Amino acid sequence: MASIGQIVNPTPGSDALARARQRASLVPDCLVEAKRIANTVIAGWHGRRKRGIGENFWQFRPYTEGESLSRIDWRRSARDDHTYVREREWEAAHTIWLWADMSPSMMYKSTFGSVSKESRALVIMLALAEILARSGERIGCPGVMEPIAARNAAERLATALMHAPLPGGLPEIAMIRGWSDLVLIGDFLDDAPAIMARLTPLARRGLRGHVVEIADPAEELFPYTGRTEFTDPETGSRLVSGRAENIREAYSRAYVARRDGLGQSLRHLGWTFVTHRTDHLASEALVAVHMYLSGMPAKATHGGLL
């Protein structure tokens, strides 16, 4: 039978980033959703709303005897018989670490997917950087770029990646401190216990994690029939099946069990888990991660939120 998928050639760092940014600009729905989110959120929107120093109005509250009269909002107080104080919202930049796995398995693209898993991961990573930077957050990439708060953080991240391409696997975690967020993007096809062994210490240190699993449609649907040769992109080992359709049911059970098990383990840590297929719009994953970062429950879509 004709080949359903192939391993695309790894692209040099600068070309991969240029391709990812170009592809993001060609996805109208993704850009529209990103601009809408960036224009409606305010600084400190990651569940950190509280009164304090800032420019944004937060709430009115009754005046307490002994407070400075300069804090009274006389216009609001004139509406009834009570005296009110105008409180402003505390604005503080939050630190978000972004990471995209560039393992060999991420280079896969089937005829059912619009892009490779590598390309989609980079698009989501850079789009998140742009959205978060526009909201005043501090953006970093483990081992590549220290957290910075700048409007051009996405461009600076891209430049850093040109000189220090992302390696495969999970990132080094020594520089990551607690009380920040970590967004991991990859296919997470490695052994689940090994993945959790790397992530559990981060959760115990107070880090909030958000995992985005990127999947090619062929990995879920297993559309293979007849004599089929499978190649492991990580080790190069090969497996030949005389009638691939005979193992479809067993494969599907194993695939779903792996995903469900990983999702349950992550939720046990208090982390979030989003699944995304490359034949769906990148904006679906962006919206889901944005809502989780904002502390809001994400609604399930055909993008596959867990």
Side-chain angles (χ1 to χ4, degrees):
M1 64 175 294
S3 174
I4 287 179
Q6 62 180 341
I7 303 297
V8 300
N9 293 327
T11 318
S14 58
D15 294 338
L17 289 167
R19 183 185 68 188
R21 292 184 65 82
Q22 181 181 18
R23 191 176 300 278
S25 68
L26 295 176
V27 182
D29 183 70
C30 179
L31 283 183
V32 169
E33 195 63 38
K35 290 179 180 179
R36 185 191 71 79
I37 294 172
N39 290 332
T40 55
V41 297
I42 58 176
W45 46 263
H46 295 296
R48 295 166 63 83
R49 297 191 65 183
K50 60 177 68 177
R51 65 182 177 86
I53 299 175
E55 297 181 357
N56 296 305
F57 168 75
W58 184 38
Q59 67 176 4
F60 289 114
R61 65 166 177 81
Y63 170 77
T64 302
E65 186 176 355
E67 288 187 274
S68 171
L69 296 178
S70 63
R71 300 192 61 191
I72 296 177
D73 189 288
W74 297 106
R75 179 175 298 180
R76 173 64 184 87
S77 300
R79 297 179 187 174
D80 51 41
D81 297 330
H82 300 283
T83 304
Y84 294 93
V85 171
R86 172 187 288 265
E87 288 190 332
R88 301 187 184 277
E89 182 179 350
W90 177 54
E91 299 177 354
H94 195 54
T95 299
I96 299 95
W97 297 89
L98 303 176
W99 178 263
D101 180 13
M102 293 292 104
S103 296
S105 62
M106 292 292 291
M107 311 301 171
Y108 182 73
K109 176 188 178 300
S110 74
T111 56
F112 299 96
S114 57
V115 295
S116 69
K117 294 187 289 183
E118 170 218 30
S119 178
R120 181 52 55 86
L122 286 171
V123 166
I124 293 174
M125 181 184 186
L126 291 172
L128 274 174
E130 290 199 14
I131 293 172
L132 295 167
R134 291 180 62 184
S135 301
E137 308 299 345
R138 301 174 70 240
I139 310 302
C141 183
V144 175
M145 185 180 78
E146 289 294 320
I148 59 172
R151 295 277 293 185
N152 65 340
E155 287 73 17
R156 293 171 66 174
L157 173 58
T159 300
L161 287 169
M162 292 178 189
H163 298 91
L166 290 168
L170 295 174
E172 293 298 325
I173 61 177
M175 76 293 295
I176 302 179
R177 301 176 179 85
W179 310 113
S180 57
D181 285 78
L182 171 65
V183 179
L184 298 173
I185 308 169
D187 56 17
F188 299 97
L189 295 176
D190 293 330
D191 181 61
I195 294 176
M196 297 308 302
R198 292 285 306 277
L199 300 183
T200 300
L202 291 175
R204 290 175 177 170
R205 282 159 46 185
L207 192 72
R208 293 200 315 169
H210 312 275
V211 173
V212 182
E213 181 198 72
I214 307 295
D216 186 275
E219 294 174 332
E220 287 191 0
L221 303 175
F222 198 81
Y224 310 98
T225 59
R227 181 179 175 82
T228 306
E229 180 180 274
F230 300 95
T231 303
D232 186 337
E234 305 284 344
T235 64
S237 60
R238 299 174 184 273
L239 172 68
V240 177
S241 173
R243 297 183 62 85
E245 63 271 23
N246 290 342
I247 63 174
R248 181 178 296 126
E249 184 177 347
Y251 169 88
S252 297
R253 286 198 301 267
Y255 188 89
V256 172
R258 174 203 60 83
R259 172 179 284 173
D260 290 346
L262 180 61
Q264 291 175 6
S265 297
L266 290 168
R267 285 190 292 273
H268 182 72
L269 292 181
W271 287 26
T272 65
F273 185 50
V274 175
T275 63
H276 175 74
R277 272 176 30 175
T278 56
D279 59 338
H280 293 167
L281 295 174
S283 57
E284 294 178 6
L286 289 174
V287 171
V289 176
H290 167 265
M291 294 183 72
Y292 281 137
L293 286 168
S294 303
M296 297 182 292
K299 296 181 180 179
T301 70
H302 65 285
L305 306 189
L306 293 177

